[in-house]
Amino acid sequence: MPHLDNEGYGPQLSRYGTTLAQIERLDAWLEEHGVIGKGGSIKPAAKFRADLDKLALNLAGALGLTPVSHARVLRDLGEAGRSQVDIAKAQEEYLREQRGSA
């Protein structure tokens, strides 16, 4: 994912990595202690795990790591590339016109 080499993605990548690490640690804790608490209720840690899943999915989408968001990034990069080509062509045409009228 070459678009992630842009330093502007740094904070989001860091947050995504932190979230994945939290999920791993919480999974280990839940495996050891279980999901169900006394009285048959779901432990708060299990509910927090679900929140972390949602956060990880949102961050993955924002970073273009899901199939749909990756396709969107590729589309946007393609449109940006076409815009750059259009600008370059317009500049060349302008310079040709300037040379022709001089």
Side-chain angles (χ1 to χ4, degrees):
M1 309 260 177
H3 69 281
L4 296 176
D5 289 340
N6 182 316
E7 66 185 43
Y9 283 95
Q12 281 184 315
L13 281 169
S14 178
R15 183 68 185 124
Y16 183 61
T18 299
T19 302
L20 294 179
Q22 288 174 320
I23 288 171
E24 284 184 25
R25 292 180 65 200
L26 194 51
D27 281 349
W29 189 91
L30 287 169
E31 192 171 314
E32 182 179 335
H33 296 92
V35 175
I36 306 299
K38 294 179 182 175
S41 62
I42 296 175
K43 291 182 179 178
K47 292 178 182 178
F48 182 54
R49 173 62 169 82
D51 292 340
L52 287 175
D53 274 342
K54 290 176 192 171
L55 177 59
L57 185 58
N58 288 338
L59 289 167
L63 291 166
L65 299 176
T66 65
V68 171
S69 65
H70 183 64
R72 185 182 68 238
V73 167
L74 292 176
R75 182 201 66 212
D76 292 348
L77 289 173
E79 288 175 7
R82 284 191 296 277
S83 295
Q84 292 293 333
V85 169
D86 292 343
I87 291 168
K89 285 180 181 177
Q91 288 174 329
E92 288 174 18
E93 186 177 318
Y94 172 77
L95 292 173
R96 274 194 304 271
E97 288 174 1
Q98 292 300 315
R99 282 185 236 132
S101 64

